[in-house]
Amino acid sequence: MAQGISANRCFKALRFGETGSKLHPPDLYDMNAAWPRLGSSNMVDTFSYDALYSEKSVDTPLNPGLHAKYDFAVAYPAPETLPLDGLIQSLQTAVDSDSTKVLAELAYYPHQLGALELREYTAEKLRTDRGFTVSPEEIALTNGSGEALGLVIQALTNPGDVVLAEEFVYMGTTAQLRRFGADIRGVAMDEGGIIPDALDEQITALTAAGEKPKYLYTIPEHQNPMGSTISAERRKAILDIAHKHGMPILEDDCYVDLRYKGEVQPAFRALDDSGIVVYVASYSKLLAPGLRLGYFTASPELMRRALSFKLGSGPNQFAAVAIEGYLKNNLDAHRDNFNPMLEAKCNAMVAALEEHFGPAGATWSVPEGGCYVWLTMPEGSDIASIRDKVFEQGVGYVAGTNFEADASGRIGHNNARLCFAFESVEKNTEGIALLAQLFKQHGAM
Amino acid sequence: MAQGISANRCFKALRFGETGSKLHPPDLYDMNAAWPRLGSSNMVDTFSYDALYSEKSVDTPLNPGLHAKYDFAVAYPAPETLPLDGLIQSLQTAVDSDSTKVLAELAYYPHQLGALELREYTAEKLRTDRGFTVSPEEIALTNGSGEALGLVIQALTNPGDVVLAEEFVYMGTTAQLRRFGADIRGVAMDEGGIIPDALDEQITALTAAGEKPKYLYTIPEHQNPMGSTISAERRKAILDIAHKHGMPILEDDCYVDLRYKGEVQPAFRALDDSGIVVYVASYSKLLAPGLRLGYFTASPELMRRALSFKLGSGPNQFAAVAIEGYLKNNLDAHRDNFNPMLEAKCNAMVAALEEHFGPAGATWSVPEGGCYVWLTMPEGSDIASIRDKVFEQGVGYVAGTNFEADASGRIGHNNARLCFAFESVEKNTEGIALLAQLFKQHGAM
């Protein structure tokens, strides 16, 4: 019976309809797993933990890992674009050339900062790609950028602290911010990202109200979900505002390698050496999410405090050896091959949007890189409430409401994030056509 | 100037003498990294975070990664014993046989439970090796067992909760327990591990005093640091006590594969299907710590609550593919080759202890597996206070005080954990001779 109860809890928690909730972004979908699957177990589950769970713990359903036929709800590039053979070859080469060194990498618990060679490579990449210089000791490799963000958030956030973020922003970060008690407020944006004057006024008003923001979280390059990039000029203005108010900037630069058009903008960190900028990035989008390798750099004491929240030691050395070996020889070639594919996919999606959504008065962002187009339906159109129906009918997207920074439910009902990077050019074209048809069917356009 | 201050903080924090502290177990040493190294940086570090750090954050020095000439302070096997070529070959084979599948593994964010294939393999391994049946959905892969322990601890621990553990126990777990507010009490042990009657009396007394223990953490097989194994009979008695008091058992089985002598004892989990046992284990000791792959299984709701504390998604897929591919074909062969090496190293250390420490009235454990011998010097001998001097003179060990569960400083001054698995047979022999010489020199024997 107790088992039955658990099973029900489980299945209930995993009902399809719940998978769009803020805590379970489709970003985390995984094709390979469905939970729970039928599987034998000798667990009878008669011991009750009801009085034992910690106050902070929440019974949170696992991700069922469902994909729509046309999956624009994911947050990563297509499998076939990954340099898997190259990564494995690099690992083999590293072993052949100096197996003792590779053995040493794997034989020990990783330093809290992660594998030295990849930190050295990352320092060089930041110098050449992003225009700022940090030593390998100022870089910490993490289990994806998600861990990096979680560590920094814990080092800077007390329950109730006000934290600023773009008004629509990555739900994985807002979920972590909320978990650690942040009171998130959205900052006004336009096609160019955060609006400096609006930011300044907001901080002044909040400070006057005794709610001075602790820090600003931003994805300045190819923002998730809006696809916008903040210009160098605006970044300088935002930095001035940050200094004026003594407010650090948590810069999430995880899409910077995925630019196929236009000019890369300087990182906030490259424009400021004072320590006010905490810089987080990742190899997940460039190479493979499954590698789980992100990193961050910040001023020494903040790094030590952030790293003290780690569970266990540094990230996987196996992937670190492969990534360092591959990128040191293939970064440019990989980007030169990878990014034009992204551009073709983005163009296909944008063309389909023009054809099928333009006449209905919808608008969308046209990003210069990254993975996302941000769709805006006319005011009054609610595409959040029909998301599950449309998903079941073959098209996946993430409703704008999932990205609302302050979770007030005020905005985003007529918005959707569409990932153009995962499906093929053809499926992007077909999927958008079907999406328009389904929106019409459900009265959303 | 601010930079100077940070640098000083940093160097000060990393002074050699601090590396033996509870928060920085030599277990986490890494040969490949030293912090801080000289490295250029354009950080000027003039922005002050002093008013911004969270109340929970602590400025915690990073591990400098120092190794003594004879390093008995580490907690892992020797690099040359690792099946690195086999792991890479398995990865290559997986790609050659079904690259689409491997690509899919790497292309997506791992499911919160981790790679399905390795969970399926792990379920089968638990069934055959440990005698209990769980479905792959009841197994969560984690970034080492350290993450698994941290997640479960967070799901069960409120600040101030009393938690029981062996009176000397792995410092990495006690550090996490303290971080999440546990009030750890040590349980009396003998050569056979936890003494059931003492446990029962202690729980009864604590409960009467309004301090009912929340759960018991134990390493029943080849315990760290004492090397002891709890017999099946004692495990059954401990389970009866756990049920009597409604107290879960957090079983850390990470050394079970490293048995070279005697009979493996049934896991607590294999003796009880009620859900009262949370089972945590790891592939780190068997294959390579740098792979960072551990796992746990518990009743469904507890698993969901524990997993809700993850930062980011599941663990590295790259290592998961290699481990699953390697172990499904080579587990027995690897253990048959690996464990006799461990036994020879243990025998060499024990023989050297008999020769050099026996006459002085010291005693030591003679484990049937794992990595550690527990040395007990005569009462009054303080080998904790001379640890740093002896380390500088060439022999590393971890003083018993670092393993004291309740950190009261009462016990452990005359104890040391000696890892026999890392150095060679010859170095174990030489190092123990030198250790005796240094103890005499410093008046400890």
Side-chain angles (χ1 to χ4, degrees):
Chain A
M1 191 187 96
Q3 186 174 26
I5 290 164
S6 303
N8 287 341
R9 264 204 234 106
C10 233
F11 279 105
K12 179 172 178 307
L14 289 156
R15 264 189 303 107
F16 186 81
E18 301 188 11
T19 63
S21 76
K22 283 202 181 47
L23 281 173
H24 313 95
D27 298 59
L28 298 180
Y29 274 179
D30 179 319
M31 261 180 140
N32 308 310
W35 199 91
R37 283 162 67 248
L38 295 176
S40 62
S41 170
N42 58 4
M43 164 82 67
V44 292
D45 194 17
T46 53
F47 181 80
S48 170
Y49 281 86
D50 292 347
L52 300 176
Y53 295 121
S54 68
E55 284 146 22
K56 285 193 169 182
S57 74
V58 178
D59 187 355
T60 309
L62 297 189
N63 187 319
L66 300 170
H67 280 258
K69 179 182 178 192
Y70 298 97
D71 195 345
F72 304 140
V74 293
Y76 36 78
E80 64 273 14
T81 63
L82 300 178
L84 184 61
D85 291 328
L87 287 164
I88 293 169
Q89 188 49 54
S90 302
L91 196 55
Q92 188 62 61
T93 305
V95 176
D96 296 344
S97 66
D98 188 349
S99 67
T100 314
K101 190 175 124 200
V102 178
L103 279 163
E105 289 284 339
L106 284 169
Y108 306 108
Y109 286 90
H111 189 284
Q112 289 139 290
L113 297 178
L116 178 60
E117 288 69 19
L118 185 55
R119 284 187 283 126
E120 287 172 337
Y121 172 81
T122 302
E124 180 57 24
K125 182 178 188 300
L126 290 173
R127 194 182 64 72
T128 45
D129 281 2
R130 298 310 276 139
F132 63 95
T133 304
V134 289
S135 68
E137 296 63 53
E138 293 172 297
I139 295 168
L141 303 176
T142 53
N143 190 32
S145 58
E147 185 191 18
L149 292 166
L151 296 174
V152 173
I153 287 168
Q154 289 179 84
L156 290 177
T157 315
N158 291 319
D161 282 350
V162 171
V163 174
L164 299 180
E166 285 130 347
E167 61 186 344
F168 291 109
V169 70
Y170 171 50
M171 61 205 1
T173 302
T174 52
Q176 292 210 60
L177 282 165
R178 282 194 193 86
R179 185 204 308 176
F180 298 114
D183 175 0
I184 312 169
R185 309 295 175 90
V187 179
M189 301 170 71
D190 59 20
E191 317 74 52
I194 290 171
I195 303 165
D197 291 349
L199 174 67
D200 192 17
E201 288 162 21
Q202 184 176 22
I203 300 171
T204 304
L206 284 168
T207 305
E211 297 186 321
K212 185 180 176 187
K214 200 73 172 287
Y215 53 93
L216 167 68
Y217 170 73
T218 177
I219 305 171
E221 205 87 2
H222 316 307
Q223 201 251 6
N224 177 6
M226 299 183 74
S228 56
T229 292
I230 304 177
S231 68
E233 193 180 336
R234 279 198 184 188
R235 295 191 199 208
K236 288 174 189 157
I238 291 167
L239 277 164
D240 291 343
I241 294 162
H243 277 288
K244 173 179 156 190
H245 296 283
M247 178 193 69
I249 295 171
L250 176 50
E251 174 175 32
D252 184 345
D253 206 25
C254 67
Y255 296 101
V256 68
D257 288 306
L258 279 56
R259 174 176 288 276
Y260 45 75
K261 195 162 61 179
E263 287 298 308
V264 65
Q265 297 301 302
F268 277 106
R269 177 62 185 83
L271 297 169
D272 190 294
D273 297 328
S274 72
I276 200 170
V277 179
V278 177
Y279 182 89
V280 175
S282 173
Y283 290 111
S284 293
K285 307 292 178 184
L286 178 65
L287 294 178
L291 292 171
R292 310 305 306 129
L293 259 165
Y295 54 93
F296 74 103
T297 179
S299 50
E301 182 175 347
L302 177 54
M303 284 193 71
R304 293 194 301 273
R305 287 179 182 263
L307 289 167
S308 75
F309 289 98
K310 280 183 79 73
L311 304 180
S313 63
N316 185 279
Q317 306 276 61
F318 212 57
V321 171
I323 292 171
E324 188 262 346
Y326 178 77
L327 287 183
K328 77 182 171 199
N329 299 315
N330 303 290
L331 174 62
D332 291 339
H334 175 60
R335 281 191 297 214
D336 292 347
N337 164 61
F338 184 66
N339 290 342
M341 287 191 280
L342 284 180
E343 180 170 26
K345 291 179 175 194
C346 180
N347 292 343
M349 181 173 280
V350 167
L353 287 166
E354 282 164 0
E355 180 181 349
H356 303 285
F357 286 78
T363 59
W364 49 86
S365 59
V366 181
E368 298 183 329
C371 298
Y372 316 113
V373 163
W374 180 246
L375 175 67
T376 303
M377 299 298 289
E379 275 304 326
S381 166
D382 180 0
I383 55 177
S385 63
I386 60 172
R387 178 262 176 198
D388 292 350
K389 292 200 205 90
V390 174
F391 191 109
E392 286 168 319
Q393 290 174 287
V395 187
Y397 60 88
V398 187
T401 46
N402 292 291
F403 299 100
E404 191 185 18
D406 64 11
S408 65
R410 289 178 302 108
I411 54 175
H413 299 276
N414 61 325
N415 296 108
R417 188 192 72 181
L418 303 172
C419 176
F420 60 78
F422 178 70
E423 300 288 9
S424 65
V425 164
E426 297 64 30
K427 286 189 76 179
N428 280 353
T429 305
E430 297 165 17
I432 294 298
L434 176 58
L435 184 65
Q437 188 185 314
L438 296 170
F439 276 8
K440 286 178 185 138
Q441 182 188 319
H442 295 293
M445 72 184 261
Chain B
M1 188 187 99
Q3 185 177 26
I5 290 163
S6 304
N8 287 341
R9 266 203 232 103
C10 205
F11 280 104
K12 177 173 178 306
L14 289 157
R15 264 188 304 107
F16 186 82
E18 302 189 8
T19 62
S21 78
K22 284 200 179 51
L23 281 172
H24 311 93
D27 298 57
L28 298 180
Y29 275 178
D30 179 318
M31 260 178 142
N32 309 309
W35 162 288
R37 284 164 65 249
L38 296 176
S40 63
S41 169
N42 59 5
M43 164 84 68
V44 292
D45 195 16
T46 54
F47 181 80
S48 171
Y49 282 86
D50 293 347
L52 300 176
Y53 295 120
S54 68
E55 283 147 23
K56 284 193 169 180
S57 74
V58 178
D59 186 355
T60 309
L62 297 188
N63 186 318
L66 300 169
H67 281 259
K69 179 182 178 191
Y70 298 96
D71 195 345
F72 305 139
V74 294
Y76 35 79
E80 65 273 14
T81 63
L82 299 179
L84 184 62
D85 290 328
L87 286 164
I88 293 170
Q89 188 50 54
S90 302
L91 195 56
Q92 187 64 60
T93 305
V95 175
D96 296 345
S97 65
D98 187 350
S99 68
T100 314
K101 190 174 127 201
V102 178
L103 279 163
E105 290 283 340
L106 284 169
Y108 305 107
Y109 286 90
H111 190 283
Q112 289 138 292
L113 298 179
L116 178 59
E117 288 71 18
L118 185 55
R119 284 187 282 126
E120 288 171 336
Y121 172 81
T122 302
E124 180 56 23
K125 182 178 188 297
L126 290 173
R127 196 182 61 73
T128 42
D129 280 5
R130 300 308 278 137
F132 64 95
T133 303
V134 290
S135 69
E137 296 62 54
E138 293 172 297
I139 295 169
L141 303 176
T142 52
N143 189 34
S145 58
E147 185 190 19
L149 292 167
L151 296 174
V152 173
I153 287 167
Q154 288 179 85
L156 291 178
T157 315
N158 290 318
D161 281 350
V162 171
V163 174
L164 300 179
E166 285 130 346
E167 61 186 343
F168 291 110
V169 70
Y170 171 50
M171 60 200 12
T173 302
T174 52
Q176 291 210 61
L177 282 165
R178 281 191 195 90
R179 186 203 310 175
F180 298 113
D183 175 359
I184 313 169
R185 310 296 175 92
V187 178
M189 302 170 70
D190 58 21
E191 319 73 55
I194 290 171
I195 303 166
D197 291 348
L199 175 66
D200 193 16
E201 288 163 22
Q202 183 175 22
I203 299 171
T204 304
L206 284 168
T207 306
E211 297 185 321
K212 184 180 176 186
K214 199 72 171 291
Y215 53 95
L216 167 68
Y217 171 73
T218 176
I219 306 171
E221 205 87 2
H222 315 308
Q223 200 251 7
N224 177 6
M226 298 182 75
S228 57
T229 292
I230 304 177
S231 68
E233 192 181 335
R234 277 197 185 190
R235 295 191 198 208
K236 288 173 188 159
I238 291 167
L239 277 164
D240 290 342
I241 294 162
H243 277 289
K244 173 178 156 190
H245 296 283
M247 179 194 69
I249 295 171
L250 176 50
E251 173 174 34
D252 184 346
D253 205 25
C254 67
Y255 296 101
V256 67
D257 288 306
L258 279 57
R259 174 176 289 273
Y260 45 75
K261 193 163 63 181
E263 287 298 309
V264 66
Q265 298 301 301
F268 277 106
R269 176 61 184 84
L271 297 170
D272 189 292
D273 296 328
S274 72
I276 199 170
V277 179
V278 177
Y279 182 88
V280 175
S282 173
Y283 291 111
S284 294
K285 308 292 179 185
L286 178 65
L287 294 177
L291 293 171
R292 311 304 306 128
L293 260 166
Y295 54 93
F296 74 103
T297 179
S299 49
E301 182 177 348
L302 178 54
M303 283 192 73
R304 293 195 300 273
R305 288 180 181 262
L307 289 167
S308 75
F309 289 98
K310 281 183 77 75
L311 303 180
S313 63
N316 184 282
Q317 306 276 63
F318 211 58
V321 171
I323 291 171
E324 188 263 346
Y326 179 77
L327 287 183
K328 77 182 171 198
N329 299 315
N330 303 288
L331 174 60
D332 291 340
H334 174 60
R335 280 191 296 214
D336 292 347
N337 164 59
F338 183 66
N339 289 343
M341 286 192 280
L342 284 180
E343 181 170 24
K345 290 180 174 192
C346 180
N347 291 343
M349 181 173 280
V350 167
L353 286 167
E354 282 164 359
E355 178 180 352
H356 302 286
F357 286 79
T363 60
W364 49 87
S365 60
V366 181
E368 297 183 329
C371 297
Y372 317 111
V373 163
W374 181 247
L375 175 66
T376 302
M377 299 297 290
E379 274 304 325
S381 165
D382 180 359
I383 56 177
S385 63
I386 60 171
R387 178 261 177 203
D388 292 349
K389 294 199 204 89
V390 173
F391 190 107
E392 286 169 317
Q393 290 174 288
V395 186
Y397 60 88
V398 187
T401 47
N402 291 291
F403 299 100
E404 190 186 18
D406 63 10
S408 65
R410 289 178 301 106
I411 53 175
H413 299 276
N414 61 324
N415 295 109
R417 187 191 73 181
L418 303 171
C419 176
F420 59 78
F422 178 71
E423 300 287 9
S424 65
V425 164
E426 296 65 30
K427 285 190 77 179
N428 279 354
T429 305
E430 296 165 15
I432 293 298
L434 176 57
L435 185 65
Q437 189 185 314
L438 295 171
F439 276 7
K440 286 177 187 139
Q441 182 188 322
H442 295 293
M445 72 183 262

